[in-house]
């Protein structure tokens, strides 16, 4: 084997020159690649932006929160359990006795029971039917990071919880729905014929995609929900440890505690990081799927490149013949046209990356979008690969031309 | 073989030999023998012209001598090497280093300067890049175009374009120069300049020259004339 002659920079220079000779053709040829790369960059940036956004949402929940829910939530691979099988429906609910026993079994943590119901809520202005109402304790606000900020009222107190006082803390969304003009704070609302006072409005949290929309919740002392439901079932428990290093051990202890009472598929003990990684894996799958669809246009773009390279080769048959006559060996011709195809598609890739990046900046104004370095690297790599794959056929055709036939070509 | 009395060169060893070369063109189901058993020897330092009527097979013969085409049967020996055993890459290397080809149509790259055209064979050779420009300028100076380095073919006269092509053929210092009707597209003055250049290359630089022409006056300027007719050597003479 001998070293590559001509050297790469000579080839690149002559390729760029021949590409520049046909500017409008170059642009049209690269259009397929440009569109393909732009859409791949855009879609992955949206997927990634979504992920970052949701991660931020979860961080506000706190890394030291453990949830105990009835049913099997996760499958063995860490994704969400999609089985609509028995285990999800023989949903155990927990009782106040469970809560009390758990409190005794595990010390040094805050345990907050949650009971939920769906009811109609009326304000002086409007009615919200079938709204989610969450009954919980005075500690929930602090544990879940839902304490209203300064000027927006407060969470209910232990005293109010014990007395089942008629107080309610509203999510930001439902507060606005019930009182479209002016603040909900201090106003009265009717929940299932109970006249209740709004003591706090939680800051806007935003809904986690697919997940519950906290902004639409109304929080009341747990005893009130028990009354509405006519039972004392607890739907979920929130366990807050004093720091996040204790989360792992506490999860084990809590699991052990419930295994003594229930079957292993009847309840789930999880923390926010687990929930997060499941959601992340869903978004990643979705992003890859969408980007894959967009990548189809890259194939179309590649065919465009192949087409134009075939035209170039036959246009320049005489030149190829001359080069061969004065000593260009087949591989030199092959590499020359391959490099031209790669430059052409990388040019398209580069423009596509810039357009995709500008597009995601624009989208970011109303939807989370964030371009990742890896998507840029992949897009560029893929366009180079497209150039190689679709450039090989024309380049090899050029390299196989007989010098004299090529020279005689008209 | 009768040696030309006017020759100032003592012909040396055989550098190029053809043995019973046949070239058959097939189109459809008709075949045509453009060369029909051509044998010839060319010695080092010779100036040989090949002439004959149009369609007699001169260009076909020249392409086979120049390793641009392969014979249907028969052998081509270059410096005692049988080229039928060489692959495309090895043939290309010989075309690059040992042979210099001058075409009737010049075959210069359009929109490319004279200097870059002349340097083109170097990019496929082992000559280090740092020497390309000085060699290119040297060759263009030799053909009298030192002040046209940056001109593209469109900015040169026909005679100047052919001189650029000759400079290109010379850049790798080839032993053998092959020219197929190099003056065919030129007026008589430019044609004379080109012929003078060939004489210089032969007599002063001791290069072997094979010239194809149908002009008997030009053919007679060589040491030896080969007349070809219907794909066969008709007369081999002074
Ligand atoms: N590719 C080809 N296919 C078929 N026939 C061909 C081909 N090339 C040449 N020929 C035929 O071979 C014969 C010799 O052609 P060639 O070009 O060698 O002639 P020539 O002596 O150079 O003529 P001229 O003086 O006109 O240049 C011609 O009859 C031509 O038609
Ligand atoms: Mg001819």
């Amino acid at each position: 084997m001998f070293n590559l002659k001509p050297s790469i920079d000579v080839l690149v220079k002559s390729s760029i020159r021949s590409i520049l000779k046909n500017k409008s053709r170059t642009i049209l040829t690269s259009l397929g690649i440009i569109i393909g790369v732009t859409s791949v960059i855009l879609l992955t940036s949206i997927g990634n932006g979504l992920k970052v956004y949701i991660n931020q949402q979860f961080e506000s929940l706190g890394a030291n929160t453990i949830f105990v829910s009835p049913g099997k939530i996760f499958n063995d691979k860490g994704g969400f359990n999609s089985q609509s099988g028995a285990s999800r429906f023989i949903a155990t609910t927990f009782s106040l006795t469970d809560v009390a026993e758990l409190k005794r079994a595990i010390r040094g943590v805050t345990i907050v029971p949650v009971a939920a119901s769906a009811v109609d809520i009326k304000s002086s202005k409007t009615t919200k039917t079938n709204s989610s109402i969450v009954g919980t304790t005075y500690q929930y606000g602090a544990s879940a990071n839902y304490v209203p900020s300064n000027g927006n009222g407060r969470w209910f107190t232990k005293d109010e919880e014990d007395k089942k006082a008629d107080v309610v803390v509203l999510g930001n969304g439902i507060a606005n729905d019930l009182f479209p003009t002016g603040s909900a704070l201090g106003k009265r609302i009717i929940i299932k014929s109970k006249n209740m006072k709004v003591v706090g409005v939680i800051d806007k949290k935003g809904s986690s995609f697919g997940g519950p929309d906290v902004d639409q919740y109304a929080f009341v002392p747990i005893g009130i929900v028990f009354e509405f439901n006519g039972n004392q079932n607890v739907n979920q428990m929130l366990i807050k440890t004093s720091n996040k290093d204790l989360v792992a051990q506490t999860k084990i202890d809590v699991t052990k505690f419930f295994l003594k009472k229930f079957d292993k598929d009847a309840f789930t003990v999880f923390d926010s990081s687990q929930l997060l990684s499941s959601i992340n894996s869903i978004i990643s799958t979705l992003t890859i799927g969408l980007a894959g669809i967009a990548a189809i246009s890259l194939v179309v773009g590649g065919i465009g490149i192949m087409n134009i390279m075939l035209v170039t080769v036959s246009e320049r048959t005489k030149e190829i013949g001359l080069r061969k006559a004065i000593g260009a060996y087949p591989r030199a011709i092959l590499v020359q046209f391959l490099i031209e195809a790669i430059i052409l598609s990388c040019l398209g890739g580069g423009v596509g990356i810039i357009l995709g990046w500008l597009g995601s900046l624009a989208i970011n104004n109303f939807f989370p979008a964030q371009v990742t370095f890896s998507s840029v690297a992949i897009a560029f790599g893929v366009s180079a690969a497209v150039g190689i794959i679709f450039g090989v056929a024309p380049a090899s055709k050029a390299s196989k031309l007989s010098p004299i036939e090529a020279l005689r070509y008209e | 073989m009768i040696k030309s009395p006017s020759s100032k060169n003592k012909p040396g060893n055989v550098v190029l030999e053809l043995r019973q070369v046949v070239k058959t063109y097939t189109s459809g189901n008709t075949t045509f023998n453009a060369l029909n058993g051509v044998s010839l020897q060319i010695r080092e330092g010779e100036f040989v012209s090949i002439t004959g009527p149009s369609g007699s097979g001169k260009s076909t013969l020249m392409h086979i001598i120049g390793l641009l085409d392969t014979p249907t049967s028969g052998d081509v020996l270059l410096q005692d090497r049988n080229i039928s055993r060489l692959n495309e890459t090895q043939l290309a290397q010989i075309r690059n280093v040992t042979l210099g080809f001058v075409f009737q149509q010049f075959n210069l790259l359009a929109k490319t300067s004279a200097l870059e055209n002349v340097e083109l064979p170097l990019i496929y050779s082992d000559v280090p890049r740092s020497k390309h420009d000085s060699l290119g300028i040297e060759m263009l100076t030799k053909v009298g175009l030192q002040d046209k380095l940056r001109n593209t073919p469109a900015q040169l006269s026909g005679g100047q374009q052919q001189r650029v092509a000759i400079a290109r053929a010379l850049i790798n210092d080839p032993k053998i120069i092959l020219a197929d009707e190099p003056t065919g597209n030129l007026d008589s003055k430019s044609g004379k300049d080109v012929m003078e250049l060939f004489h210089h290359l032969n007599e002063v630089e001791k290069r072997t020259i094979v010239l194809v022409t149908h002009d008997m006056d030009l053919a007679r300027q060589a040491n030896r004339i080969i007349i070809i007719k219907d794909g066969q050597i008709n007369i081999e003479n002074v």
Side-chain angles (χ1 to χ4, degrees):
Chain A
M1 235 44 226
F2 43 91
N3 58 333
L4 183 68
K5 293 174 289 185
S7 55
I8 289 290
D9 60 311
V10 170
L11 290 173
V12 168
K13 219 170 94 186
S14 87
S15 298
I16 288 174
R17 191 192 299 183
S18 90
I19 286 170
L20 289 182
K21 266 182 204 161
N22 289 299
K23 285 193 198 69
S24 53
R25 184 161 96 183
T26 302
I27 293 167
L28 288 173
T29 306
S30 321
L31 213 54
I33 300 273
I34 292 175
I35 292 170
V37 168
T38 304
S39 36
V40 168
I41 296 277
L42 270 183
L43 287 170
T44 52
S45 79
I46 290 171
N48 179 61
L50 213 60
K51 215 167 174 175
V52 170
Y53 176 77
I54 290 175
N55 281 276
Q56 283 166 353
Q57 295 295 310
F58 268 88
E59 259 163 40
S60 69
L61 255 183
N64 53 344
T65 310
I66 297 166
F67 303 88
V68 185
S69 280
K72 184 177 176 173
I73 293 184
F74 300 101
N75 62 26
D76 299 334
K77 294 187 192 90
F80 289 112
N81 187 16
S82 58
Q83 251 181 305
S84 54
S87 58
R88 268 209 94 155
F89 277 97
I90 313 173
T92 17
T93 51
F94 308 114
S95 65
L96 280 179
T97 327
D98 294 331
V99 178
E101 281 176 14
L102 185 65
K103 276 184 177 165
R104 250 174 281 135
I106 299 175
R107 298 275 167 186
V109 296
T110 311
I111 296 174
V112 184
V114 175
S117 188
V119 293
D120 294 349
I121 301 179
K122 274 188 224 146
S123 71
S124 53
K125 308 256 174 4
T126 181
T127 304
K128 294 275 291 178
T129 53
N130 221 14
S131 281
S132 295
I133 170 162
V134 177
T136 185
T137 69
Y138 72 100
Q139 288 169 313
Y140 186 89
S143 300
N145 248 345
Y146 288 166
V147 175
S149 61
N150 260 348
N152 292 315
R154 56 176 177 84
W155 199 260
F156 50 83
T157 61
K158 178 164 185 348
D159 194 42
E160 286 167 331
E161 181 200 328
D162 291 344
K163 286 184 183 150
K164 290 188 264 176
D166 294 336
V167 289
V168 57
V169 179
L170 291 178
N172 199 280
I174 191 168
N176 279 334
D177 292 348
L178 290 169
F179 300 96
T181 53
S183 167
L185 194 62
K187 302 270 169 45
R188 297 211 151 251
I189 55 176
I190 315 275
I191 304 178
K192 245 190 168 182
S193 76
K194 235 183 186 356
N195 192 324
M196 304 187 74
K197 188 182 179 194
V198 179
V199 295
V201 175
I202 305 168
D203 292 3
K204 195 170 168 53
K205 296 290 175 187
S207 79
S208 306
F209 295 81
D213 188 352
V214 171
D215 289 340
Q216 289 296 330
Y217 285 2
F219 296 90
V220 297
I222 193 161
I224 293 177
V225 174
F226 287 158
E227 254 172 45
F228 289 163
N229 286 348
N231 60 42
Q232 300 215 324
N233 291 344
V234 171
N235 300 105
Q236 196 187 47
M237 279 181 242
L238 217 117
I239 302 168
K240 190 110 177 166
T241 61
S242 52
N243 73 59
K244 73 173 196 291
D245 297 334
L246 295 172
V247 167
Q249 187 55 46
T250 308
K251 267 171 70 185
I252 293 170
D253 295 343
V254 172
T255 306
K256 264 191 204 146
F257 170 83
F258 279 105
L259 274 177
K260 276 183 268 173
K261 298 176 152 264
F262 305 112
D263 184 66
K264 76 171 171 51
D265 284 348
F267 67 95
T268 305
V269 178
F270 62 96
D271 61 329
S272 51
S273 72
Q274 214 171 335
L275 204 58
L276 200 56
S277 71
S278 299
I279 290 176
N280 280 346
S281 84
I282 289 175
I283 297 174
S284 295
T285 312
L286 212 69
T287 307
I288 290 169
L290 285 174
I293 292 169
I296 291 173
S297 54
L298 281 177
V299 175
V300 176
I303 293 169
I305 299 251
M306 176 149 80
N307 187 34
I308 216 67
M309 286 311 293
L310 284 171
V311 170
T312 302
V313 166
S314 64
E315 266 179 5
R316 284 159 65 192
T317 301
K318 242 187 144 86
E319 176 196 325
I320 295 165
L322 183 265
R323 285 179 184 269
K324 290 194 144 194
I326 60 165
Y329 44 95
R331 224 177 48 155
I333 300 289
L334 181 92
V335 173
Q336 181 186 342
F337 283 91
L338 208 49
I339 284 181
E340 205 167 311
I342 294 169
I343 289 179
L344 209 52
S345 61
C346 284
L347 213 68
V351 173
I353 287 167
I354 292 169
L355 289 181
W357 180 68
L358 290 176
S360 77
L361 281 185
I363 287 177
N364 200 27
N365 289 326
F366 48 89
F367 196 89
Q370 206 167 315
V371 175
T372 57
F373 173 76
S374 64
S375 71
V376 169
I378 290 172
F380 204 76
V382 166
S383 32
V386 162
I388 293 174
I389 292 165
F390 291 95
V392 160
S396 119
K397 184 185 168 195
S399 75
K400 286 187 184 128
L401 288 172
S402 128
I404 200 62
E405 273 163 31
L407 264 178
R408 255 198 301 240
Y409 183 88
E410 288 308 328
Chain B
M1 183 169 59
I2 305 155
K3 217 186 115 203
S4 163
S6 67
S7 169
K8 296 175 203 84
N9 289 340
K10 278 201 263 356
N13 301 326
V14 174
V15 284
L16 205 137
E17 183 174 0
L18 265 57
R19 290 182 189 153
Q20 287 302 317
V21 164
V22 174
K23 181 71 189 181
T24 309
Y25 288 116
T26 313
S27 43
N29 36 15
T30 61
T31 59
F32 176 77
N33 283 355
L35 293 179
N36 215 339
V38 172
S39 299
L40 60 82
Q41 288 187 334
I42 289 165
R43 289 174 183 279
E44 204 176 332
E46 266 194 308
F47 188 154
V48 179
S49 60
I50 298 174
T51 186
S54 181
S56 56
K58 304 183 294 293
S59 293
T60 307
L61 178 62
M62 207 51 169
H63 296 150
I64 286 173
I65 293 175
L67 311 191
L68 294 172
D69 208 351
T70 48
T72 310
S73 69
D75 290 314
V76 179
L77 286 89
L78 187 78
Q79 293 167 327
D80 292 331
R81 266 213 295 186
N82 193 330
I83 65 102
S84 62
R85 296 202 189 89
L86 304 181
N87 64 28
E88 261 305 314
T89 302
Q90 291 167 313
L91 290 178
Q93 269 178 317
I94 296 174
R95 290 197 291 265
N96 185 236
V97 176
T98 312
L99 304 175
F101 219 106
V102 182
F103 305 91
Q104 182 175 352
Q105 283 87 3
F106 322 140
N107 287 326
L108 298 176
L109 295 188
K111 299 183 188 169
T112 306
S113 74
L115 188 60
E116 281 173 284
N117 263 296
V118 169
E119 289 175 17
L120 198 59
L122 292 179
I123 68 173
Y124 303 108
S125 77
D126 288 322
V127 175
R129 191 98 61 82
S130 54
K131 291 192 179 154
H132 286 195
D133 277 353
S134 59
L135 271 171
I137 293 167
E138 189 189 326
M139 292 307 131
L140 281 169
T141 307
K142 186 182 282 185
V143 298
L145 291 175
Q146 60 278 8
D147 51 354
K148 304 280 185 192
L149 304 180
R150 302 285 159 211
N151 290 39
T152 62
Q155 298 163 338
L156 292 169
S157 74
Q160 289 168 335
Q161 288 183 54
Q162 191 60 301
R163 281 188 278 156
V164 172
I166 293 170
R168 179 180 66 194
L170 292 174
I171 195 142
N172 263 328
D173 194 20
K175 286 250 168 359
I176 306 169
I177 308 278
L178 306 172
D180 188 358
E181 305 272 15
T183 60
N185 283 358
L186 303 181
D187 63 272
S188 58
K189 166 73 174 71
S190 307
K192 242 182 100 187
D193 291 346
V194 165
M195 284 307 289
E196 262 168 37
L197 209 48
F198 283 127
H199 283 296
H200 172 85
L201 294 174
N202 176 244
E203 285 153 25
V204 181
E205 299 189 7
K206 310 294 180 203
R207 296 184 208 272
T208 310
I209 292 182
V210 182
L211 168 78
V212 164
T213 176
H214 58 256
D215 182 335
M216 247 346 246
D217 288 338
L218 292 186
R220 278 198 204 94
Q221 295 182 22
N223 307 144
R224 183 155 66 98
I225 304 175
I226 295 172
I227 298 176
I228 187 165
K229 215 173 174 183
D230 298 330
Q232 281 180 312
I233 291 184
N234 204 274
I235 309 168
E236 202 172 336
N237 211 320
V238 180

